[in-house]
Amino acid sequence: QGTRDHAPAAVVLRDRLLAAVVGCFKRHGAAAIDTPVMELREMLVGKYGEEAKLIYELQDQGGELLALRYDLTVPFARYLAMNKITNMKRYQVAKVYRRDNPATTRGRYREFYQCDFDIAGQFDPMIPDAECLKIVHEVLSDLQLGDFVIKVNHRLVLNGVLAVCGIPESKFITASSVVDKLDKMSWEEVRSEMVGEKGLSPEAADRVGDYVQLHGGLDLIEQLLQDPKLSQNKLAKEGLEDMKLLFEYLTLFGITGKISFDLSLARGLDYYTGVIFEAVLLQQENDHVEEPVSVGSVAGGGRYDGLVGMFDPKGRKVPCVGVSIGIERIFSILEQRLEASGEKIRTTETQVLVATPQKHLLAARLKLISELWDAGIKAEMLYKKDPKLLKQLQYCEDTGIPLAAIVGEQELTDGVVKLRDVATREEVRI
Amino acid sequence: QGTRDHAPAAVVLRDRLLAAVVGCFKRHGAAAIDTPVMELREMLVGKYGEEAKLIYELQDQGGELLALRYDLTVPFARYLAMNKITNMKRYQVAKVYRRDNPATTRGRYREFYQCDFDIAGQFDPMIPDAECLKIVHEVLSDLQLGDFVIKVNHRLVLNGVLAVCGIPESKFITASSVVDKLDKMSWEEVRSEMVGEKGLSPEAADRVGDYVQLHGGLDLIEQLLQDPKLSQNKLAKEGLEDMKLLFEYLTLFGITGKISFDLSLARGLDYYTGVIFEAVLLQQENDHVEEPVSVGSVAGGGRYDGLVGMFDPKGRKVPCVGVSIGIERIFSILEQRLEASGEKIRTTETQVLVATPQKHLLAARLKLISELWDAGIKAEMLYKKDPKLLKQLQYCEDTGIPLAAIVGEQELTDGVVKLRDVATREEVRI
């Protein structure tokens, strides 16, 4: 359930997509690492908040207790701590596993790829954070997925807002996770969940509502820095100063047009400590696709300065910020677009089919194809002793092989090969 | 236990290796598929013989009972049956999982890559089988791993041998698995295990010994076809006729020099039905490496005509033959060779570092690097507001970045960039 096989055409499409993403990561100077699909269970405990119940565990068959990785961020932090690395720009493209109830029609699965880029190290504030946002902008632009917006918030701003609204600190995580639903629910629904299920006071909820429905750019940051309550809160002020600097850098990158400072963005994972962000595709008004793919989050990330320290025996911290591109949804969109275009993807790269026009020439085909392979040429032949020429040419047309190298009795006698262009039917003897 | 992280240099080396293997598979016209890392447990039952105890199971957390894939052959057969595909040439490169007690020093792990190429379909005999052997020959030659031999046998020949020697059919699998150890143990040891642990008669064991210690080429096949006992056995005769045809095709491919018909080769997996083979690297006599990597099997495969039928509700068979390249051992060898050579692998591909020679120029760097990224140029900068020029140039030297694009106050005024060749220190204003 929630997994799938990829047929050859899907693999080709996916590989194109991954190549674009990895190309962007390499453009930003990242090196690749690879970690095992399983981690010690204890490594994953306490990192994912409420979502931890979705972790796949391996059976206890003796030895260590293991689980499948839930994301690539925790393994990266574990890798840094284990190897005492304090400075690294890395990417990793790999599958992760979540025992979710997946809506596979919307491109959500239990086994899915993540493409992560992270910058670890103690640096001047917001420079790496701005680069992560630039990367999201580049990937989504490169892939021509249509309009998008990157929502940005800051955990300290959010915590500051909750504090000045009178939410007790013990309820910060609960309140944040409800506020985070503002992208899918109306404020009335969010408010009623805060007051009802979560037991927050109606007054506090209303005060929170005044803030978390705000979104904007540098102007909003300036406005909040002047806000009588927020400007008095140490957390909020620190977060807003970060945001101001971030927007300054994003302006230099020329990408603020797609960035929205959104006070409702919370993101579920426990480990974020600073800037957080999420990219969302926007459905175009004149989009008339037959089965519209639900438009949702296609990338997300943020700063997690405490995670590496959790894996270090001495608790040494390594500040990190990173982005994860969720390629499955993008893949669904590209797959649908390809289908609509009617383009047929070639699933092999064969350059030439070695063919014979008469019987009893298998030996000639085997000798010639062997020569071609040894010369690095991508070549196929039919696995029949005496195939009909028509069948052989038909195979070329079906699979997109552009050339047929034909050896008949005459060609053998003359020491030549007849090379046929399958599309034009032109032939040359070489 | 038995898993490892790959650091960036290892990933680069591994990617080179995989590219060579995949390049060969594509040269032979294969298309890629991808299957989930987990399979239904019931799919893996009864496919692996004694080795099944090494399967990793996932915990029962509700829902389907799952296990991690043990190889790529069973998932491929399941894929063919599920999709009713009767004809396909596919490759798959992916990690597989075995709860072995791994000797990691010899390149054996619990999580390791396999690179599989398989041909499914009803074809004329031995043509696809010969191509699989050609592929092994190409991969091992391309990678320049030194001398190697590809041992070939046939399950029917082996079964025929056991039959004419008086081994009861119920003991064929047991006897085969002991005989298979002849590559690591002497005949005396193998014989004593057959007679002692496995309870075969000493006379039968001796008769078996006369056959399974044989190896050779076409001459041996001819000799056995004349063998008074074997030639009377239907299984053996059919297998030997296959082998004769196979050697004819391998002769046309020009690769018989590396092929050895070895009657002791059995291979452990239950699903093989015809030709089986295994490639072994040969240690050179004048090899004086400091820590010699144990030389062993680096590729294997064979024909499995019954496996797909086990997954089809109506038992419809699809004959298959395939090869699996075990890249972990090859990787260990290449890693050791690289270390001996002293070559330093670049782990990033950055073309230019954007640098500033004075303070207060962060904005200029951010603007320039953004322009470079947008133009598709691989560029980095230090994440400091005011880094020293020396530090920036040192970073280029440490990480192999060939160029520095320097913007100072003068350059800003003049509207130029100073491009510096890091190695030669030559500079041009552009």
Side-chain angles (χ1 to χ4, degrees):
Chain A
Q1 196 199 343
T3 68
R4 65 193 153 158
D5 295 317
H6 277 298
V11 173
V12 171
L13 186 64
R14 195 196 64 197
D15 284 352
R16 280 188 203 168
L17 175 55
L18 290 179
V21 175
V22 168
C24 177
F25 293 167
K26 286 185 173 176
R27 197 155 66 227
H28 288 261
I33 68 162
D34 183 42
T35 63
V37 80
M38 61 268 263
E39 293 281 338
L40 291 176
R41 270 187 220 172
E42 63 197 67
M43 291 293 173
L44 305 189
V45 171
K47 312 299 187 301
Y48 298 113
E50 285 182 17
E51 300 185 32
K53 63 181 183 297
L54 305 181
I55 293 173
Y56 270 105
E57 299 186 347
L58 269 77
Q59 181 136 315
D60 181 1
Q61 294 171 288
E64 298 152 329
L65 292 180
L66 304 171
L68 298 186
R69 62 183 161 216
Y70 183 87
D71 66 6
L72 301 177
T73 310
V74 166
F76 175 54
R78 194 253 318 138
Y79 175 85
L80 292 176
M82 260 179 75
N83 296 286
K84 298 191 173 53
I85 296 168
T86 56
N87 194 327
M88 182 176 207
K89 189 155 49 175
R90 87 87 180 77
Y91 76 88
Q92 184 171 5
V93 172
K95 288 177 179 171
V96 302
Y97 298 87
R98 300 186 185 179
R99 293 186 64 258
D100 217 335
N101 280 320
T104 50
T105 49
R106 292 190 291 151
R108 291 188 61 193
Y109 291 87
R110 289 182 162 194
E111 172 184 63
F112 57 96
Y113 267 101
Q114 281 196 339
C115 304
D116 279 28
F117 171 98
D118 293 80
I119 300 170
Q122 184 68 57
F123 302 115
D124 281 327
M126 294 301 116
I127 310 179
D129 311 62
E131 182 166 357
C132 289
L133 290 166
K134 177 78 170 86
I135 283 176
V136 175
H137 193 278
E138 281 179 34
V139 167
L140 297 183
S141 305
D142 287 354
L143 294 172
Q144 299 181 296
L145 297 171
D147 205 12
F148 61 88
V149 63
I150 310 173
K151 298 180 194 173
V152 185
N153 198 1
H154 196 296
R155 273 278 164 100
L156 293 185
V157 175
L158 190 59
N159 288 348
V161 163
L162 297 174
V164 303
C165 293
I167 306 283
E169 206 179 323
S170 61
K171 298 256 181 174
F172 277 10
I173 290 178
T174 315
S176 303
S177 69
V178 186
V179 162
D180 196 45
K181 298 180 183 172
L182 257 181
D183 59 340
K184 295 183 192 85
M185 288 160 49
S186 71
W187 166 247
E188 285 66 36
E189 290 168 301
V190 167
R191 183 186 182 280
S192 108
E193 188 174 330
M194 288 176 81
V195 175
E197 280 174 57
K198 308 298 178 187
L200 301 172
S201 84
E203 298 73 28
D206 286 334
R207 282 192 295 265
V208 170
D210 289 342
Y211 284 109
V212 297
Q213 291 179 81
L214 298 173
H215 49 90
L218 198 51
D219 49 334
L220 178 59
I221 299 170
E222 299 286 6
Q223 176 194 320
L224 292 174
L225 275 168
Q226 308 301 324
D227 183 277
K229 280 185 290 177
L230 270 191
S231 59
Q232 298 307 309
N233 179 281
K234 202 171 156 284
L235 295 179
K237 196 150 178 286
E238 197 184 326
L240 287 166
E241 293 293 353
D242 271 356
M243 289 299 288
K244 195 176 161 185
L245 194 58
L246 179 69
F247 266 76
E248 197 179 294
Y249 297 159
L250 299 179
T251 306
L252 290 163
F253 286 158
I255 61 171
T256 45
K258 303 279 189 199
I259 308 276
S260 168
F261 175 30
D262 185 325
L263 277 91
S264 73
L265 182 71
R267 293 187 62 75
L269 303 174
D270 279 2
Y271 50 64
Y272 289 120
T273 53
V275 167
I276 46 180
F277 54 88
E278 197 166 289
V280 182
L281 297 184
L282 302 174
Q283 188 101 47
Q284 266 94 44
E285 267 182 50
N286 53 355
D287 252 10
H288 290 297
V289 278
E290 299 217 351
E291 277 181 63
V293 172
S294 160
V295 167
S297 162
V298 289
R303 176 161 286 282
Y304 49 101
D305 288 348
L307 191 58
V308 177
M310 293 171 78
F311 295 108
D312 186 277
K314 291 184 185 161
R316 280 169 293 214
K317 288 190 177 182
V318 178
C320 294
V321 62
V323 50
S324 183
I325 312 284
I327 70 146
E328 303 295 342
R329 288 185 184 189
I330 300 175
F331 177 77
S332 294
I333 295 167
L334 295 182
E335 206 172 26
Q336 185 181 307
R337 191 183 287 174
L338 185 83
E339 212 170 299
S341 80
E343 186 202 333
K344 205 187 154 203
I345 285 192
R346 253 199 96 180
T347 58
T348 58
E349 300 176 8
T350 309
Q351 298 164 294
V352 59
L353 184 84
V354 174
T356 39
Q358 295 107 8
K359 289 194 172 182
H360 311 302
L361 289 167
L362 175 60
R365 269 191 293 148
L366 289 172
K367 273 183 96 157
L368 177 57
I369 201 167
S370 175
E371 227 178 291
L372 293 173
W373 285 331
D374 292 342
I377 291 167
K378 294 169 191 150
E380 284 185 75
M381 54 174 268
L382 297 196
Y383 300 124
K384 291 210 158 281
K385 269 165 75 175
D386 297 312
K388 297 228 161 65
L389 185 60
L390 206 66
K391 282 241 168 179
Q392 296 173 82
L393 295 174
Q394 189 60 49
Y395 182 81
C396 291
E397 290 189 9
D398 292 347
T399 63
I401 301 176
L403 295 171
I406 303 169
V407 266
E409 278 154 18
Q410 191 58 50
E411 285 78 18
L412 274 182
T413 311
D414 299 349
V416 299
V417 168
K418 199 157 69 182
L419 198 62
R420 179 186 171 107
D421 184 308
V422 175
T424 67
R425 301 179 185 188
E426 267 175 65
E427 293 182 342
V428 282
R429 284 159 60 94
I430 53 169
Chain B
Q1 195 198 343
T3 69
R4 65 193 153 159
D5 296 318
H6 277 299
V11 174
V12 171
L13 186 64
R14 194 196 64 198
D15 285 352
R16 280 188 203 168
L17 174 53
L18 290 179
V21 174
V22 168
C24 177
F25 293 166
K26 287 186 173 175
R27 196 155 68 226
H28 288 260
I33 68 163
D34 184 41
T35 64
V37 80
M38 62 269 263
E39 293 280 338
L40 292 176
R41 270 188 221 171
E42 62 197 70
M43 293 291 173
L44 306 189
V45 171
K47 313 298 188 300
Y48 298 114
E50 286 182 16
E51 300 185 31
K53 63 180 186 294
L54 305 182
I55 293 173
Y56 270 105
E57 299 185 347
L58 268 75
Q59 180 136 316
D60 181 1
Q61 293 172 288
E64 298 153 329
L65 293 180
L66 304 171
L68 298 186
R69 62 182 161 216
Y70 183 87
D71 65 7
L72 302 176
T73 310
V74 166
F76 175 54
R78 194 249 326 134
Y79 176 85
L80 292 175
M82 260 179 75
N83 296 287
K84 298 192 173 51
I85 297 168
T86 55
N87 193 326
M88 182 175 205
K89 189 154 53 174
R90 88 86 181 75
Y91 75 89
Q92 184 171 6
V93 172
K95 288 177 180 172
V96 302
Y97 298 87
R98 301 186 184 179
R99 293 186 64 258
D100 216 336
N101 279 321
T104 50
T105 49
R106 292 189 291 152
R108 292 187 60 192
Y109 291 88
R110 289 184 161 193
E111 172 184 63
F112 57 97
Y113 267 101
Q114 281 195 340
C115 303
D116 277 29
F117 171 100
D118 293 81
I119 300 170
Q122 184 67 58
F123 302 115
D124 281 326
M126 295 300 117
I127 309 180
D129 311 61
E131 182 166 355
C132 288
L133 291 166
K134 177 78 171 86
I135 283 176
V136 175
H137 192 278
E138 281 179 35
V139 167
L140 297 183
S141 304
D142 287 354
L143 293 172
Q144 300 182 295
L145 297 170
D147 204 11
F148 61 88
V149 64
I150 309 173
K151 299 180 193 174
V152 184
N153 198 2
H154 197 296
R155 273 276 164 102
L156 294 185
V157 175
L158 191 58
N159 288 347
V161 163
L162 296 174
V164 304
C165 293
I167 306 283
E169 205 179 324
S170 62
K171 298 256 181 175
F172 277 10
I173 290 178
T174 315
S176 303
S177 70
V178 185
V179 162
D180 197 46
K181 298 181 185 173
L182 258 181
D183 59 340
K184 296 184 192 85
M185 288 159 50
S186 71
W187 166 246
E188 284 67 36
E189 290 167 302
V190 168
R191 182 185 183 282
S192 105
E193 189 174 328
M194 289 176 82
V195 175
E197 279 175 56
K198 308 298 178 188
L200 301 171
S201 83
E203 298 73 27
D206 285 334
R207 283 191 295 266
V208 170
D210 288 343
Y211 284 109
V212 297
Q213 292 178 82
L214 297 173
H215 50 89
L218 198 50
D219 49 334
L220 177 59
I221 298 170
E222 299 285 6
Q223 175 194 320
L224 292 174
L225 276 168
Q226 307 302 324
D227 182 279
K229 280 185 291 177
L230 269 191
S231 60
Q232 298 309 308
N233 181 281
K234 200 169 157 285
L235 294 179
K237 196 149 177 288
E238 196 185 326
L240 287 166
E241 293 294 352
D242 271 356
M243 290 298 288
K244 195 176 161 186
L245 194 57
L246 179 70
F247 266 76
E248 198 179 291
Y249 297 159
L250 299 179
T251 305
L252 290 163
F253 286 158
I255 60 170
T256 45
K258 303 280 190 200
I259 308 277
S260 168
F261 175 29
D262 185 325
L263 278 92
S264 74
L265 182 70
R267 292 186 62 75
L269 303 174
D270 278 3
Y271 50 64
Y272 289 120
T273 54
V275 166
I276 46 178
F277 54 87
E278 197 167 289
V280 182
L281 297 184
L282 302 174
Q283 187 101 46
Q284 266 94 45
E285 268 184 48
N286 53 356
D287 254 10
H288 291 297
V289 280
E290 300 220 346
E291 276 180 64
V293 172
S294 160
V295 167
S297 162
V298 289
R303 176 163 284 283
Y304 49 101
D305 287 348
L307 190 59
V308 178
M310 294 171 76
F311 295 108
D312 186 278
K314 292 184 184 159
R316 279 169 295 215
K317 289 190 176 182
V318 178
C320 294
V321 62
V323 49
S324 182
I325 311 283
I327 70 148
E328 302 296 342
R329 286 185 185 188
I330 299 175
F331 177 77
S332 294
I333 294 167
L334 294 183
E335 206 172 27
Q336 186 182 306
R337 192 184 284 176
L338 186 82
E339 210 169 300
S341 80
E343 186 202 332
K344 206 188 153 200
I345 285 192
R346 253 199 98 182
T347 58
T348 58
E349 300 177 8
T350 309
Q351 297 164 293
V352 57
L353 185 84
V354 173
T356 39
Q358 296 107 6
K359 288 195 174 181
H360 311 302
L361 289 168
L362 175 60
R365 268 191 293 149
L366 289 172
K367 274 183 96 157
L368 177 57
I369 200 166
S370 176
E371 228 178 291
L372 293 173
W373 286 330
D374 291 342
I377 290 167
K378 294 171 190 149
E380 285 185 75
M381 55 174 267
L382 298 196
Y383 300 124
K384 290 210 158 280
K385 269 165 74 175
D386 298 311
K388 296 229 163 61
L389 185 60
L390 205 66
K391 281 242 167 175
Q392 297 173 81
L393 296 174
Q394 188 60 48
Y395 183 80
C396 292
E397 291 189 7
D398 293 346
T399 63
I401 301 176
L403 295 171
I406 303 169
V407 265
E409 278 154 19
Q410 190 59 49
E411 285 78 20
L412 275 182
T413 311
D414 299 350
V416 298
V417 167
K418 200 158 68 181
L419 199 62
R420 179 186 172 107
D421 184 308
V422 175
T424 67
R425 300 181 185 186
E426 267 174 67
E427 294 182 342
V428 283
R429 283 157 62 93
I430 52 170

